[in-house]
Amino acid sequence: MSLPLKELIKIGEKQLEDVGITDAARDAKLLYCFFDKLDSVGLMMHWQDVLQDNQCEGYFALIERRAAGEPLQYITGTQDFMGLTFQVNSDVLIPRQDTETMVEDCIELIKKGTLRGSDYIKAQSTKDILDLCCGSGAIGVSLANLCDNIKVTCSDVSDRALVVAEKNAQANGCKSVKFEKSDLFSAFCSKFRKKKFDLIISNPPYIESSVIPTLQREVKDYEPMIALDGGEDGLEFYRRIACEAAEHLNKNGIIMVEIGYNQGEAVTCLFEETEKFADITCLKDLAGKDRIVVAKLSTKK
Ligand code: GLN
């Protein structure tokens, strides 16, 4: 069997469509590009090529993986985030566009001291940053790449995630990013001293345990449960973060967390209840849903 490339991709698309993959046409093309190491221009230039059996088989093997529900990004091994390319595998969550919104807000805070245009902190005071539960390192590495004169530490409880994050820091030219294996703040508490930061940013696991089986199979069958499961009410990690974060923030320090669309009020309350934070603000994502909670260490004792 030999097939023209455009026919091959049509068959791939049909196979994905038949099993209900939403972006079948896009995925069929992107998988071919990955298979033949082409970009989209290259793909157009080869559109009329006739392919031999072994090429077709190699491509269909990838189509089968995608048809079985494996996310495109785990097959190709990459996801773009904040204009950078991140390596991903099933040890880390695939970076989401919603998280880019939080990173953009964070960059504005670091560079200008404002939050969506309104004054929030004194600019230039945010130097020492912690990406807590860093996974692939998408947040911390993007900040290190896109902001000058900051020190970034990425921490995660998963050794395997840290391996991916370190590779991503190297690949994106962020050699000075530090990595710590840590169960939330555990590695930053020595007997005598707690390590403190100017800003702590985190996308912790936040899906309610009972909701996980209802998620799309790409997520529930392939992404790491440890990065998704936020316990019975989804708030387990925010509870611990709200309790412990103040002790790891310098004066005027900021905590910024990604949240689920229905967690704005609950997470705001968790920070309020500690009485250690001021200006607790909930921000929306591009779809208009609650997505980020930001709080400032209170100056009151
Ligand atoms: N945003 C992810 C999702 O919807 C969850 C991320 C997380 O739990 N931190 O699947």
Side-chain angles (χ1 to χ4, degrees):
M1 176 178 76
S2 58
L3 272 177
L5 176 55
K6 63 176 182 184
E7 290 303 318
L8 181 78
I9 291 177
K10 266 265 158 284
I11 297 172
E13 179 184 335
K14 174 88 176 45
Q15 288 186 1
L16 296 182
E17 227 170 56
D18 287 349
V19 293
I21 305 278
T22 337
D23 289 316
R26 186 203 63 174
D27 287 8
K29 282 202 189 91
L30 287 175
L31 282 174
Y32 191 82
C33 288
F34 169 68
F35 171 67
D36 207 13
K37 301 187 178 61
L38 296 173
D39 59 16
S40 52
V41 177
L43 183 69
M44 272 161 63
M45 287 168 57
H46 289 273
W47 202 235
Q48 306 293 342
D49 288 5
V50 173
L51 304 176
Q52 299 312 312
D53 273 5
N54 59 340
Q55 288 171 292
C56 299
E57 276 161 25
Y59 175 64
F60 285 131
L62 299 181
I63 288 286
E64 252 169 55
R65 284 170 65 185
R66 182 69 194 96
E70 187 170 350
L72 181 79
Q73 296 90 333
Y74 288 156
I75 302 175
T76 63
T78 61
Q79 169 67 45
D80 285 356
F81 183 85
M82 295 302 293
L84 304 171
T85 299
F86 285 85
Q87 296 181 36
V88 291
N89 61 28
S90 56
D91 294 328
V92 298
L93 213 65
I94 299 164
R96 310 282 205 264
Q97 200 182 20
D98 294 327
T99 308
E100 287 185 328
T101 308
M102 176 165 72
V103 173
E104 278 160 12
D105 289 328
C106 186
I107 292 174
E108 183 188 329
L109 268 176
I110 293 169
K111 291 189 174 171
K112 300 189 191 153
T114 58
L115 199 53
R116 304 210 177 167
S118 303
D119 285 344
Y120 195 77
I121 39 155
K122 229 171 83 221
Q124 304 303 324
S125 56
T126 308
K127 303 278 179 229
D128 205 346
I129 292 163
L130 172 64
D131 174 2
L132 187 74
C133 311
C134 68
S136 67
I139 297 175
V141 171
S142 298
L143 293 174
N145 184 285
L146 298 167
C147 301
D148 295 329
N149 304 320
I150 58 168
K151 282 197 289 182
V152 175
T153 305
C154 289
S155 72
D156 204 287
V157 72
S158 156
D159 284 311
R160 289 175 14 187
L162 287 168
V163 169
V164 178
E166 284 191 49
K167 279 192 199 153
N168 281 323
Q170 289 291 329
N172 286 296
C174 303
K175 295 200 177 67
S176 64
V177 173
K178 290 205 184 84
F179 295 89
E180 285 284 355
K181 179 186 163 94
S182 184
D183 179 8
L184 290 188
F185 293 105
S186 65
F188 305 106
C189 304
S190 80
K191 215 166 169 188
F192 307 105
R193 189 175 156 264
K194 288 192 167 29
K195 166 86 180 112
K196 295 189 182 209
F197 300 88
D198 299 322
L199 185 146
I200 299 166
I201 184 165
S202 183
N203 177 15
Y206 59 68
I207 311 283
E208 291 167 50
S209 304
S210 62
V211 168
I212 289 179
T214 69
L215 299 176
Q216 60 188 97
R217 60 190 176 144
E218 278 82 352
V219 181
K220 69 170 191 260
D221 294 343
Y222 290 90
E223 296 206 88
M225 215 38 69
I226 187 180
L228 292 167
D229 192 343
E232 203 177 328
D233 64 358
L235 301 171
E236 203 172 297
F237 290 87
Y238 302 117
R239 224 167 257 124
R240 289 171 60 194
I241 292 171
C243 241
E244 296 171 38
E247 298 186 338
H248 295 279
L249 285 170
N250 291 322
K251 192 163 173 253
N252 297 319
I254 292 172
I255 173 88
M256 184 169 212
V257 291
E258 180 174 319
I259 57 162
Y261 71 95
N262 55 356
Q263 295 173 325
E265 222 170 287
V267 175
T268 303
C269 275
L270 286 174
F271 282 108
E272 271 168 9
E273 279 165 9
T274 67
E275 296 182 1
K276 289 176 182 160
F277 295 94
D279 298 337
I280 305 165
T281 309
C282 182
L283 301 169
K284 295 190 188 302
D285 60 22
L286 296 175
K289 303 226 165 85
D290 287 347
R291 182 59 65 189
I292 303 154
V293 169
V294 188
K296 200 157 58 179
L297 190 62
S298 170
T299 43
K300 282 186 244 140
K301 285 278 167 213

